[in-house]
Amino acid sequence: MGKMVKSVSLDIAIKDLMIPGNKVAIVQEGNTLEHALLVLTKSGYSAIPVLGREYKLKGLISMSLILDSILGIEKIEYDKLGERKVEEVMNKKVAWMKEDGSFFRGLELSINHPFLCIVDEDGVFVGILTRKSILAHVHKYLKYGIK
Ligand code: AMP
């Protein structure tokens, strides 16, 4: 008997591809830039989500935003790291979609964004969908999914 390959569909739920929130490195409003720098450095990611109260999605913080914000005219102002909060520096324009959105929408958004934040109907952060997992699924579909 030949090897059975489960049919692969592009009509897949976002939830089945996303990294769940409990596995995502995040910072919260009120956290200092110093804390964010620590989380970014230790996680190895260049950008991570900023969440507000009750896990509401608020923005993205990155190494380059932090460094740019402490770059003075003459020197880097390291003391600002402990004083400034992530919400003062974060990028409020976040690529996001709802968890019940379509795979096709995710694919479209991922052209310009390395990852998308996924929220529920109340705007509560539930996870991220990476370009990597979208590409892996498209690859699987092209390899096995077309009959
Ligand atoms: P990757 O698909 O692993 O190359 O991740 C692409 C981008 O998604 C990373 O640079 C991060 O900005 C973000 N990312 C991926 N996984 C995580 C995670 N577990 N926690 C936080 N951010 C992540």
Side-chain angles (χ1 to χ4, degrees), residues 19 23-26 45-49 114-115 128 130-133:
I19 300 174
K23 299 220 170 86
V24 178
I26 57 111
Y45 298 118
S46 49
I48 55 173
F115 71 98
I128 60 170
T130 62
R131 184 188 282 157
K132 182 176 171 177
S133 68

mmCIF file of all heavy atoms in Angstrom, residues 19 23-26 45-49 114-115 128 130-133, ligand 1:
data_model
loop_
_atom_site.group_PDB
_atom_site.id
_atom_site.type_symbol
_atom_site.label_atom_id
_atom_site.label_comp_id
_atom_site.label_asym_id
_atom_site.label_seq_id
_atom_site.Cartn_x
_atom_site.Cartn_y
_atom_site.Cartn_z
ATOM 1 N N ILE A 19 1.844 30.471 16.903
ATOM 2 C CA ILE A 19 2.559 30.188 18.155
ATOM 3 C C ILE A 19 1.673 30.744 19.274
ATOM 4 O O ILE A 19 1.370 31.946 19.276
ATOM 5 C CB ILE A 19 3.946 30.875 18.185
ATOM 6 C CG1 ILE A 19 4.817 30.370 17.026
ATOM 7 C CG2 ILE A 19 4.638 30.647 19.521
ATOM 8 C CD1 ILE A 19 6.144 31.103 16.896
ATOM 9 N N LYS A 23 3.814 30.986 24.605
ATOM 10 C CA LYS A 23 5.167 30.661 24.121
ATOM 11 C C LYS A 23 5.827 31.861 23.442
ATOM 12 O O LYS A 23 6.895 31.738 22.835
ATOM 13 C CB LYS A 23 5.096 29.501 23.132
ATOM 14 C CG LYS A 23 4.542 28.222 23.725
ATOM 15 C CD LYS A 23 5.322 27.016 23.195
ATOM 16 C CE LYS A 23 4.992 25.748 23.924
ATOM 17 N NZ LYS A 23 3.826 25.050 23.402
ATOM 18 N N VAL A 24 5.162 33.029 23.519
ATOM 19 C CA VAL A 24 5.683 34.224 22.848
ATOM 20 C C VAL A 24 6.361 35.130 23.873
ATOM 21 O O VAL A 24 5.809 35.377 24.951
ATOM 22 C CB VAL A 24 4.547 34.991 22.126
ATOM 23 C CG1 VAL A 24 5.081 36.259 21.475
ATOM 24 C CG2 VAL A 24 3.877 34.099 21.075
ATOM 25 N N ALA A 25 7.556 35.613 23.533
ATOM 26 C CA ALA A 25 8.243 36.585 24.388
ATOM 27 C C ALA A 25 7.541 37.929 24.230
ATOM 28 O O ALA A 25 7.377 38.409 23.104
ATOM 29 C CB ALA A 25 9.710 36.687 23.976
ATOM 30 N N ILE A 26 7.095 38.523 25.323
ATOM 31 C CA ILE A 26 6.368 39.805 25.269
ATOM 32 C C ILE A 26 6.893 40.746 26.358
ATOM 33 O O ILE A 26 7.576 40.307 27.291
ATOM 34 C CB ILE A 26 4.843 39.614 25.478
ATOM 35 C CG1 ILE A 26 4.552 38.893 26.819
ATOM 36 C CG2 ILE A 26 4.208 38.861 24.327
ATOM 37 C CD1 ILE A 26 3.907 39.761 27.834
ATOM 38 N N TYR A 45 15.055 37.540 19.622
ATOM 39 C CA TYR A 45 14.191 38.101 18.579
ATOM 40 C C TYR A 45 14.458 39.590 18.426
ATOM 41 O O TYR A 45 14.782 40.271 19.389
ATOM 42 C CB TYR A 45 12.718 37.858 18.920
ATOM 43 C CG TYR A 45 12.368 36.394 18.989
ATOM 44 C CD1 TYR A 45 11.922 35.817 20.170
ATOM 45 C CD2 TYR A 45 12.516 35.574 17.873
ATOM 46 C CE1 TYR A 45 11.619 34.466 20.238
ATOM 47 C CE2 TYR A 45 12.215 34.227 17.930
ATOM 48 C CZ TYR A 45 11.773 33.680 19.105
ATOM 49 O OH TYR A 45 11.483 32.350 19.163
ATOM 50 N N SER A 46 14.282 40.088 17.209
ATOM 51 C CA SER A 46 14.574 41.512 17.004
ATOM 52 C C SER A 46 13.384 42.401 17.341
ATOM 53 O O SER A 46 13.562 43.586 17.611
ATOM 54 C CB SER A 46 15.064 41.765 15.582
ATOM 55 O OG SER A 46 14.207 41.160 14.669
ATOM 56 N N ALA A 47 12.174 41.850 17.330
ATOM 57 C CA ALA A 47 10.984 42.628 17.705
ATOM 58 C C ALA A 47 9.983 41.720 18.408
ATOM 59 O O ALA A 47 9.832 40.551 18.023
ATOM 60 C CB ALA A 47 10.352 43.241 16.466
ATOM 61 N N ILE A 48 9.303 42.242 19.427
ATOM 62 C CA ILE A 48 8.314 41.446 20.165
ATOM 63 C C ILE A 48 7.094 42.318 20.508
ATOM 64 O O ILE A 48 7.196 43.550 20.518
ATOM 65 C CB ILE A 48 8.918 40.839 21.467
ATOM 66 C CG1 ILE A 48 9.538 41.931 22.348
ATOM 67 C CG2 ILE A 48 9.934 39.745 21.142
ATOM 68 C CD1 ILE A 48 9.982 41.415 23.720
ATOM 69 N N PRO A 49 5.951 41.702 20.788
ATOM 70 C CA PRO A 49 4.738 42.475 21.096
ATOM 71 C C PRO A 49 4.800 43.176 22.459
ATOM 72 O O PRO A 49 5.433 42.694 23.393
ATOM 73 C CB PRO A 49 3.630 41.407 21.111
ATOM 74 C CG PRO A 49 4.182 40.222 20.401
ATOM 75 C CD PRO A 49 5.663 40.251 20.671
ATOM 76 N N PRO A 114 7.304 40.149 9.102
ATOM 77 C CA PRO A 114 7.847 38.841 9.460
ATOM 78 C C PRO A 114 6.942 38.039 10.394
ATOM 79 O O PRO A 114 7.003 36.825 10.424
ATOM 80 C CB PRO A 114 9.178 39.172 10.137
ATOM 81 C CG PRO A 114 9.155 40.626 10.415
ATOM 82 C CD PRO A 114 8.162 41.272 9.521
ATOM 83 N N PHE A 115 6.095 38.734 11.154
ATOM 84 C CA PHE A 115 5.094 38.013 11.957
ATOM 85 C C PHE A 115 3.863 38.897 12.171
ATOM 86 O O PHE A 115 3.944 40.132 12.090
ATOM 87 C CB PHE A 115 5.663 37.537 13.293
ATOM 88 C CG PHE A 115 5.930 38.637 14.294
ATOM 89 C CD1 PHE A 115 5.021 38.923 15.304
ATOM 90 C CD2 PHE A 115 7.113 39.380 14.245
ATOM 91 C CE1 PHE A 115 5.267 39.920 16.237
ATOM 92 C CE2 PHE A 115 7.380 40.380 15.174
ATOM 93 C CZ PHE A 115 6.450 40.644 16.171
ATOM 94 N N ILE A 128 1.086 34.628 17.911
ATOM 95 C CA ILE A 128 1.612 35.236 16.683
ATOM 96 C C ILE A 128 1.624 34.200 15.565
ATOM 97 O O ILE A 128 1.707 32.987 15.804
ATOM 98 C CB ILE A 128 3.047 35.812 16.856
ATOM 99 C CG1 ILE A 128 4.040 34.720 17.268
ATOM 100 C CG2 ILE A 128 3.076 36.968 17.814
ATOM 101 C CD1 ILE A 128 5.496 35.174 17.213
ATOM 102 N N THR A 130 3.840 33.493 12.285
ATOM 103 C CA THR A 130 5.086 33.924 11.646
ATOM 104 C C THR A 130 5.046 33.651 10.140
ATOM 105 O O THR A 130 4.370 32.721 9.679
ATOM 106 C CB THR A 130 6.306 33.205 12.249
ATOM 107 O OG1 THR A 130 6.186 31.807 12.023
ATOM 108 C CG2 THR A 130 6.440 33.488 13.730
ATOM 109 N N ARG A 131 5.809 34.448 9.413
ATOM 110 C CA ARG A 131 5.950 34.250 7.965
ATOM 111 C C ARG A 131 6.497 32.847 7.698
ATOM 112 O O ARG A 131 6.117 32.181 6.752
ATOM 113 C CB ARG A 131 6.895 35.324 7.417
ATOM 114 C CG ARG A 131 7.051 35.298 5.919
ATOM 115 C CD ARG A 131 8.144 36.244 5.507
ATOM 116 N NE ARG A 131 7.708 37.634 5.507
ATOM 117 C CZ ARG A 131 8.552 38.671 5.622
ATOM 118 N NH1 ARG A 131 9.850 38.473 5.772
ATOM 119 N NH2 ARG A 131 8.096 39.899 5.603
ATOM 120 N N LYS A 132 7.371 32.394 8.612
ATOM 121 C CA LYS A 132 7.976 31.074 8.484
ATOM 122 C C LYS A 132 6.907 29.966 8.487
ATOM 123 O O LYS A 132 6.944 29.066 7.642
ATOM 124 C CB LYS A 132 8.941 30.885 9.660
ATOM 125 C CG LYS A 132 9.696 29.604 9.680
ATOM 126 C CD LYS A 132 10.668 29.670 10.862
ATOM 127 C CE LYS A 132 11.344 28.351 11.112
ATOM 128 N NZ LYS A 132 12.330 28.479 12.217
ATOM 129 N N SER A 133 5.953 30.037 9.431
ATOM 130 C CA SER A 133 4.928 28.980 9.494
ATOM 131 C C SER A 133 3.971 29.083 8.317
ATOM 132 O O SER A 133 3.441 28.076 7.836
ATOM 133 C CB SER A 133 4.195 28.997 10.839
ATOM 134 O OG SER A 133 3.411 30.145 10.950
HETATM 135 P P1 AMP B 1 10.878 33.226 12.930
HETATM 136 O O1 AMP B 1 9.702 32.742 12.147
HETATM 137 O O2 AMP B 1 11.213 32.295 14.062
HETATM 138 O O3 AMP B 1 12.023 33.618 12.064
HETATM 139 O O4 AMP B 1 10.373 34.564 13.661
HETATM 140 C C1 AMP B 1 10.135 35.742 12.960
HETATM 141 C C2 AMP B 1 9.917 36.856 13.948
HETATM 142 O O5 AMP B 1 8.730 36.575 14.705
HETATM 143 C C3 AMP B 1 11.008 36.992 14.995
HETATM 144 O O6 AMP B 1 12.050 37.839 14.575
HETATM 145 C C4 AMP B 1 10.261 37.620 16.143
HETATM 146 O O7 AMP B 1 10.136 39.022 15.931
HETATM 147 C C5 AMP B 1 8.912 36.977 16.047
HETATM 148 N N1 AMP B 1 8.838 35.770 16.884
HETATM 149 C C6 AMP B 1 8.911 34.476 16.477
HETATM 150 N N2 AMP B 1 8.777 33.624 17.517
HETATM 151 C C7 AMP B 1 8.606 34.389 18.624
HETATM 152 C C8 AMP B 1 8.418 34.118 20.020
HETATM 153 N N3 AMP B 1 8.356 32.868 20.512
HETATM 154 N N4 AMP B 1 8.293 35.168 20.863
HETATM 155 C C9 AMP B 1 8.343 36.437 20.380
HETATM 156 N N5 AMP B 1 8.501 36.757 19.093
HETATM 157 C C10 AMP B 1 8.649 35.757 18.212
#
